[in-house]
Amino acid sequence: MTYSYYPGCTLKTKAKDLDRYGRLSAEALGVTLEEIENWQCCGAVYPQASDEIATKLSAIRALDAAKGKGQKLLTLCSACHHVIKRVNHDMQTDDNLRLKANNYLKLDEPYLGEAEVVHYLEMLRDEVGFDNIKKAVKNPLKGVKIAAYYGCLLLRPSGVMAFDNPECPTIIEDFIKAIGATPVIYSQRNECCGGYISLEDKPQAQKRVDAIVKSAMDAGAEMIITACPLCMYNLDANATEHRLPVKYFTELLYQALGIEEEKEGA
Amino acid sequence: MSNNITTEDILRISGVDTRKCMFCGKCSGTCPAFDEMEYHPHQFVYMVQWGMIDKLMESKSIYKCLTCFACLERCPRNVQPAKLIEAVRQAVIRQQGMNHMTENDIPGLLEDKLPQQAIVSAMRKYKK
Ligand code: SF4
Ligand code: SF4
Ligand code: SF4
Ligand code: SF4
């Protein structure tokens, strides 16, 4: 299966690992990711105001590029996923935005929300299947207790994101099991880390991070995994009382699939 | 001071119908920024409804909201208070000279590991 891939600006810079391990793992699992051409930053925050149009155009361009290739649009960064999925929903449902955005973009054919937006984790679950990942794993992470950190953007608003049960999600835990590790359930896994506020009010972000890390630690976690570069930075840089290693889920997938050794052995 | 922004303006920008609210307070109970906010999500709902827009526009609360959508997800009446907070913030920063943060503020805040996303999102949230 081939997907159009939208890496997002952070994955080209500070979050290169999220991207690199994601690409190599996809390849190993038989999934082809074709980066869309000339994509622009989606803006990182979904414009909630109903009269915003210009701020949604870069997402619409990416969606239209995937539509043009007849592919699903795959995202990896939680924030890109959130923005693009919600803008796509708006293009399916909001006549005013449809009209104005299409008038502005002057595409060969109007874009009306035809593309399907899929997060990398959804691709693993629905396309590859966690059972098949389990079979492909060469280095199971046996005994490692891992806390899945969902944060906000993948799950909410659930009516649009339709990612998983917003209060009791299982997708990342199922991923953790597939790579042979042990998931740890803790109450803060779908509460906000305050990443957006880290520039504006560091103490507020620190308070959120301490609450999350403590909750994960109390449940016995040895590590936290995330799909969001901002969560990753925030959970590490703004932890004051307790600290746990924070990793991208793609890095663990890459390790578990044993891609490294294969390359070295070859 | 009067900003000339009305209840109707905020309702239009946000697309929210404040009349659906039953004042159960669940939104504020679940808000992770509760301690930092002067006005809490359920207060935004009734203050917008009752025309107390200036107070909200002048409050730091609009910059303390984390945009985590917890209030929006967990409201039993689908009122979506987060959208009201965003609309009030937009009403402020869309005014001339009212950017809360600009590119000029960024160098002083940079850290080695800070992801682009933090900067891009701050610009989108605090600046027009
Ligand atoms: S969400 Fe983040 S990484 Fe994704 S494009 Fe936008 S800012 Fe860049
Ligand atoms: S970075 Fe933290 S604040 Fe932003 S979505 Fe991820 S969880 Fe919420
Ligand atoms: S907005 Fe929703 S959650 Fe908040 S008080 Fe009103 S009904 Fe309750
Ligand atoms: S979106 Fe803002 S107001 Fe709503 S729960 Fe999150 S921080 Fe609180």
Side-chain angles (χ1 to χ4, degrees):
Chain A
M1 178 101 184
T2 303
Y3 289 82
S4 283
Y5 175 48
Y6 179 92
C9 65
T10 305
L11 277 73
K12 288 291 174 187
T13 48
K14 289 281 156 44
K16 283 201 181 107
D17 285 353
L18 179 58
D19 177 64
R20 189 166 70 90
Y21 295 128
R23 285 178 197 256
L24 291 168
S25 303
E27 202 182 295
L29 292 167
V31 174
T32 309
L33 304 185
E34 279 179 15
E35 185 168 330
I36 52 174
E37 282 169 36
N38 302 323
W39 56 268
Q40 297 160 320
C41 173
C42 69
V45 179
Y46 169 74
Q48 289 191 85
S50 58
D51 54 359
E52 291 274 327
I53 292 173
T55 41
K56 295 180 177 173
L57 295 176
S58 62
I60 299 170
R61 284 196 188 95
L63 287 159
D64 186 60
K67 171 188 162 185
K69 287 173 144 192
Q71 294 169 345
K72 294 178 182 175
L73 183 58
L74 187 118
T75 55
L76 189 41
C77 160
S78 305
C80 304
H81 182 67
H82 183 93
V83 174
I84 296 175
K85 181 115 185 183
R86 290 187 74 178
V87 170
N88 202 34
H89 181 260
D90 292 342
M91 290 302 283
Q92 291 163 353
T93 54
D94 179 344
D95 288 337
N96 180 47
L97 173 69
R98 276 179 163 196
L99 182 73
K100 289 189 176 147
N102 277 305
N103 280 348
Y104 182 85
L105 289 169
K106 296 198 172 52
L107 307 164
D108 296 338
E109 181 190 305
Y111 182 75
L112 302 172
E114 294 92 341
E116 190 182 335
V117 188
V118 178
H119 188 265
Y120 194 104
L121 282 161
E122 294 175 313
M123 176 274 284
L124 292 181
R125 177 187 63 194
D126 306 330
E127 173 80 26
V128 180
F130 287 133
D131 283 344
N132 290 324
I133 293 178
K134 199 179 257 168
K135 283 180 211 148
V137 162
K138 298 208 179 73
N139 303 323
L141 283 82
K142 271 208 193 77
V144 188
K145 290 188 180 157
I146 304 178
Y149 182 61
Y150 289 87
C152 337
L153 299 181
L154 290 173
L155 297 169
R156 295 190 285 267
S158 58
V160 177
M161 299 311 294
F163 183 75
D164 204 343
N165 181 322
E167 303 301 349
C168 195
T170 54
I171 180 168
I172 307 184
E173 284 77 11
D174 291 341
F175 166 78
I176 293 170
K177 286 183 207 158
I179 57 169
T182 308
V184 162
I185 306 289
Y186 61 111
S187 66
Q188 292 282 328
R189 66 198 172 117
N190 62 338
E191 302 301 335
C192 185
C193 73
Y196 282 151
I197 206 109
S198 55
L199 283 181
E200 153 81 15
D201 184 347
K202 208 173 173 69
Q204 190 180 349
Q206 288 170 334
K207 195 171 112 187
R208 288 304 312 140
V209 169
D210 283 340
I212 290 161
V213 176
K214 181 168 190 313
S215 162
M217 245 177 185
D218 287 350
E222 300 159 45
M223 182 196 293
I224 298 176
I225 59 170
T226 175
C228 175
L230 188 52
C231 298
M232 165 86 154
Y233 156 79
N234 196 35
L235 289 173
D236 182 53
N238 286 326
T240 65
E241 287 167 15
H242 313 279
R243 207 168 280 276
L244 279 176
V246 187
K247 297 207 162 166
Y248 291 124
F249 75 96
T250 52
E251 182 177 351
L252 297 197
L253 177 60
Y254 172 84
Q255 276 173 11
L257 291 174
I259 298 167
E260 211 160 7
E261 290 114 78
E262 244 170 47
K263 290 232 153 121
E264 274 159 25
Chain B
M1 156 186 155
S2 172
N3 292 301
N4 298 321
I5 303 282
T6 64
T7 295
E8 287 64 42
D9 292 329
I10 299 297
L11 296 183
R12 181 182 45 79
I13 299 173
S14 65
V16 165
D17 180 358
T18 50
R19 292 168 307 178
K20 289 196 289 188
C21 175
M22 59 179 181
F23 302 111
C24 66
K26 194 170 182 189
C27 50
S28 296
T30 198
C31 175
F34 185 91
D35 293 343
E36 285 79 11
M37 289 173 95
E38 172 189 10
Y39 300 117
H40 302 115
H42 76 285
Q43 288 169 296
F44 271 80
V45 179
Y46 72 71
M47 288 173 74
V48 167
Q49 189 166 348
W50 294 342
M52 299 155 81
I53 315 291
D54 287 355
K55 274 205 167 110
L56 294 175
M57 287 178 73
E58 283 152 26
S59 169
K60 290 264 176 294
S61 304
I62 55 176
Y63 306 114
K64 299 301 173 190
C65 164
L66 304 172
T67 317
C68 71
F69 308 113
C71 56
L72 183 150
E73 179 72 40
R74 294 169 187 158
C75 167
R77 302 289 272 262
N78 196 28
V79 176
Q80 313 196 343
K83 288 191 174 176
L84 283 179
I85 299 170
E86 174 72 13
V88 175
R89 181 166 48 218
Q90 288 294 339
V92 173
I93 63 176
R94 283 175 186 177
Q95 296 171 325
Q96 180 122 35
M98 286 302 285
N99 285 333
H100 182 63
M101 196 183 269
T102 71
E103 285 82 357
N104 300 333
D105 299 318
I106 297 298
L109 297 166
L110 282 186
E111 282 175 35
D112 189 30
K113 285 195 189 148
L114 192 77
Q116 275 62 25
Q117 196 182 340
I119 300 164
V120 176
S121 56
M123 290 302 104
R124 184 163 273 186
K125 286 186 57 148
Y126 303 136
K127 170 178 168 275
K128 255 303 130 199

